[in-house]
Amino acid sequence: MPTFDISNTPLRDLNSALHRLSAGANDTAFEVVNPRGSHAVAVGIDSPVKVEIRGSVGYYCAGMNDGGTVTVHGSAGPGVAENMMSGTVVVEGDASQYAGATGQGGLLVIKGNAASRCGISMKGIDIVVSGSIGHMSAFMGQSGHLVVLGDAGDALGDSIYEAKLFVRGTVKSLGSDCIEKEMRPEHLEKLAELLEKAGIADARPDEFKRYGSARKLYNFNIDNADAY
């Protein structure tokens, strides 16, 4: 397993090695030690490589991930897994603001807490947070799932489209056009699948509430044409 020590190796060398991987390459597992809060670690991965980061990272770790499996054995700064396309990103500690922002696919697992704006403008990503999340999370969430085992801050799901939100704890307040919705059998089934993928065995789907769009903000109603 190639190991990159960021204390004496330029970060560019790591990211370049990840980008140079070709189909059928033998080296598909990498270890990163002494990240020391470095920014943009393991960004732009576009192959099924595994990266173990031994420590905490700064902003945009694993951004634009497409097929890789990245594990942060520590906490992550703003924008972890930003614009992820596919693959898996796991943060063993806490994540700062806008984790998983604009993500279009894949799975982001945060085993600690996530700060504000978790999952903003999510476009298909699945996010599972073992702890709590901050305010304005899932703002303008278009599609995908956000699962929170803890509590959610103010304005959850503000201006939400069709993303589905599941919260086990309390929600401080719901944002514009976000309402509590019925938990149907298909939602319980999907939630059980996500919990299993995230490796969470101590939570039951029936302990959660589902939230989503009331669909009143983004539909044009011809009867109200004079009001637009």
Side-chain angles (χ1 to χ4, degrees):
M1 177 189 297
T3 298
F4 288 80
D5 186 340
I6 305 303
S7 66
N8 55 38
T9 302
L11 179 62
R12 183 185 298 271
D13 290 358
L14 166 66
N15 289 333
S16 295
L18 294 173
H19 298 164
R20 285 196 306 266
L21 290 174
S22 57
N26 291 326
D27 291 330
T28 58
F30 291 76
E31 184 179 46
V32 180
V33 298
N34 295 317
R36 301 184 303 172
S38 296
H39 305 309
V41 177
V43 297
I45 292 173
D46 60 358
S47 61
V49 64
K50 293 185 178 180
V51 182
E52 301 282 339
I53 303 173
R54 308 291 178 182
S56 296
V57 292
Y59 54 69
Y60 297 128
C61 176
M64 301 179 290
N65 180 45
D66 191 5
T69 299
V70 179
T71 302
V72 179
H73 297 275
S75 295
V80 62
E82 181 265 347
N83 201 35
M84 179 160 69
M85 305 298 289
S86 66
T88 302
V89 175
V90 178
V91 179
E92 297 283 352
D94 298 324
S96 189
Q97 57 187 347
Y98 43 91
T102 72
Q104 299 185 48
L107 173 67
L108 169 61
V109 179
I110 299 168
K111 296 190 176 181
N113 300 308
S116 63
R117 299 175 176 84
C118 179
I120 61 169
S121 195
M122 51 194 293
K123 297 178 174 67
I125 189 174
D126 292 326
I127 303 173
V128 180
V129 182
S130 292
S132 298
I133 58 174
H135 66 270
M136 291 295 288
S137 291
F139 170 67
M140 293 189 71
Q142 296 179 33
S143 64
H145 303 83
L146 173 60
V147 179
V148 182
L149 277 72
D151 302 326
D154 278 320
L156 176 69
D158 189 83
S159 303
I160 193 172
Y161 287 81
E162 293 304 309
K164 296 178 177 63
L165 317 179
F166 302 98
V167 182
R168 186 170 69 165
T170 60
V171 176
K172 190 168 185 180
S173 69
L174 295 174
S176 299
D177 210 40
C178 186
I179 59 173
E180 184 178 344
K181 308 190 83 170
E182 178 188 5
M183 183 78 90
R184 298 194 296 270
E186 63 266 31
H187 303 125
L188 291 169
E189 182 179 353
K190 182 62 180 182
L191 181 51
E193 175 191 327
L194 291 170
L195 291 170
E196 182 179 2
K197 283 184 177 180
I200 295 172
D202 59 349
R204 301 192 318 270
D206 60 7
E207 297 174 329
F208 292 75
K209 293 181 179 180
R210 180 171 77 98
Y211 303 89
S213 176
R215 300 173 179 165
K216 293 182 178 179
L217 286 182
Y218 66 91
N219 287 301
F220 179 83
N221 189 328
I222 191 64
D223 295 329
N224 298 323
D226 291 339
Y228 292 105

